[in-house]
Amino acid sequence: QVLLAESGGGLVQAGGSLRLSCTASERTFGTYAMGWFRQAPGKEREFVAAINWRGDTIRYADSVKGRFTISRDVAKKTAALQMNSLKPEDTAVYYCAADRDSPWAAGASDTDYEYWGQGTQVTVSS
């Protein structure tokens, strides 16, 4: 069982930046792919970004390309999501997730991930 904990959410004005972190409880974190998803009120959870276990495959949703950057630090057992040029439509609860079964991939479906954090709220004001 991998426990994931997100941090770094908050309130920011449009055009601002936030950095989300996801800390894993297991040393085997380095063998998992990691993903970020978000869910806005009244909407389905959607894919944001993913990175495979080696960091050589990265995928972004079209809506965040060029603004968000996903990264990972295996030694620190963390994954991060740097969010720049934030827009009000980025407002959502952001979740990190770990994919144990296909670590070579950077999956864009929430069904690819076995472990989930509790989420952190990001609110972007206009």
Side-chain angles (χ1 to χ4, degrees):
Q1 181 74 16
V2 176
L3 299 179
L4 303 172
E6 303 96 337
S7 61
L11 173 64
V12 64
Q13 288 188 331
S17 299
L18 281 175
R19 184 177 178 86
L20 304 183
S21 291
C22 175
T23 302
S25 62
E26 296 288 328
R27 286 183 293 178
T28 50
F29 162 82
T31 63
Y32 299 164
M34 298 297 297
W36 286 94
F37 291 77
R38 66 187 182 187
Q39 187 167 20
K43 293 189 177 181
E44 298 280 320
R45 185 163 58 188
E46 66 174 2
F47 169 75
V48 176
I51 185 169
N52 73 342
W53 72 285
R54 294 197 304 185
D56 58 3
T57 299
I58 291 174
R59 186 180 302 188
Y60 295 99
D62 288 342
S63 59
V64 306
K65 277 181 184 176
R67 300 189 298 123
F68 290 12
T69 302
I70 188 171
S71 61
R72 65 187 302 158
D73 185 326
V74 174
K76 294 182 180 179
K77 298 184 293 181
T78 60
L81 185 68
Q82 178 66 43
M83 306 186 295
N84 299 328
S85 302
L86 282 161
K87 305 175 181 179
E89 51 264 42
D90 294 319
T91 296
V93 177
Y94 283 70
Y95 299 90
C96 71
D99 177 3
R100 175 199 61 201
D101 293 342
S102 51
W104 55 87
S109 170
D110 56 5
T111 59
D112 292 328
Y113 296 85
E114 294 81 26
Y115 304 107
W116 292 83
Q118 293 297 309
T120 186
Q121 177 70 46
V122 171
T123 303
V124 184
S125 63
S126 57

